[in-house]
Amino acid sequence: MEIKYAQTAKEARYWVDRGHESVECSFGQDSVVGPLVLDHHGKLSKEPAVSLKAVRLALAGVRIEKFVVTGFADTDAAYAIGVLAGFIPPVMTQAEAVADLDIDPVRDQTAERYRKALLHQKAVLSSPLSEEGFRQSVAEAIRIFNGRYTPGEEEKALREERGRREDAKKAILAKSEDGKALLVSFGDWGQDVWFQESPVVVRLDEA
């Protein structure tokens, strides 16, 4: 498996022209895509998550060995690459769980169906924005989605996630009388929890 990391749309097109399949190579509203159109950002927002598309392609017999990527190596992209390269079994229910968290993270990520995606997210939080970072993320996806993790590792991830959710609730500073708006502390680290509470969230640094 070969992974190239593009810093610009021009670099991404260079590698696509040389046979590399682009995975989530989005630069603002512009996406650089290969023949399989593996992106769902910007102008391609109506496309399915790449995890879903990868499983459909793999089940149809498609195999890819060369990829070009950019940005952060999130679970959706890393899982898709692992599936298309033949290192992760193409299971639609698992792809649906990955896609759920990628498209709409406002849900309880400790639920059983999201456990592997949660484990991967925790494992790659500090991955660098580089080719090395993407390689690490794909390697972790291959490990985790093949079930090669310990009960202790799973419990640690669950404990950290539950702690994060509790901290997010504590960061709610005020709630409107009608319950339709929240005032919260700085940052966006708890937005999945906050948007479960209210459709409008105002951060203290934006108020």
Side-chain angles (χ1 to χ4, degrees):
M1 178 171 51
E2 183 179 334
I3 297 175
K4 297 295 183 182
Y5 190 89
Q7 298 285 358
T8 65
K10 183 178 179 179
E11 284 183 43
R13 291 190 185 96
Y14 174 89
W15 290 112
V16 168
D17 289 345
R18 283 153 182 78
H20 290 66
E21 189 62 42
S22 169
V23 179
E24 294 198 333
C25 275
S26 183
F27 302 86
Q29 289 296 307
D30 183 28
S31 290
V32 178
V33 294
L36 301 181
V37 192
L38 294 174
D39 197 6
H40 62 110
H41 299 94
K43 296 176 181 178
L44 297 174
S45 60
K46 292 185 179 180
E47 290 289 322
V50 296
S51 49
L52 292 173
K53 188 172 281 190
V55 167
R56 292 169 187 160
L57 290 166
L59 290 174
V62 175
R63 181 80 171 266
I64 306 292
E65 295 182 351
K66 299 193 299 183
F67 303 90
V68 58
V69 298
T70 194
F72 178 69
D74 66 10
T75 305
D76 191 39
Y79 176 85
I81 290 171
V83 167
L84 287 169
F87 293 104
I88 296 175
V91 179
M92 186 54 72
T93 53
Q94 183 62 79
E96 289 170 348
V98 171
D100 280 351
L101 294 186
D102 188 70
I103 295 171
D104 181 18
V106 184
R107 56 189 72 235
D108 183 2
Q109 299 182 30
T110 64
E112 181 67 33
R113 74 187 303 256
Y114 302 126
R115 294 284 174 85
K116 290 179 180 178
L118 174 64
L119 275 166
H120 182 264
Q121 288 176 0
K122 297 295 185 184
V124 303
L125 277 176
S126 59
S127 293
L129 301 181
S130 65
E131 185 174 312
E132 178 187 359
F134 240 100
R135 289 182 182 279
Q136 291 172 356
S137 183
V138 172
E140 283 294 277
I142 291 169
R143 177 179 72 86
I144 291 167
F145 287 102
N146 278 289
R148 297 197 294 268
Y149 55 87
T150 66
E153 186 179 358
E154 181 176 7
E155 182 53 42
K156 180 176 182 290
L158 290 171
R159 185 169 60 250
E160 289 177 352
E161 177 60 15
R162 287 167 181 148
R164 184 192 68 83
R165 293 179 66 83
E166 285 301 314
D167 288 344
K169 290 177 182 179
K170 292 175 184 176
I172 297 174
L173 304 176
K175 191 171 186 177
S176 64
E177 291 185 4
D178 60 7
K180 294 182 178 180
L182 295 180
L183 177 65
V184 302
S185 60
F186 300 90
D188 58 3
W189 55 274
Q191 61 183 356
D192 57 325
V193 176
W194 301 331
F195 279 109
Q196 286 178 336
E197 297 282 337
S198 172
V200 178
V201 175
V202 178
R203 299 198 322 243
L204 188 61
D205 54 334
E206 296 177 329

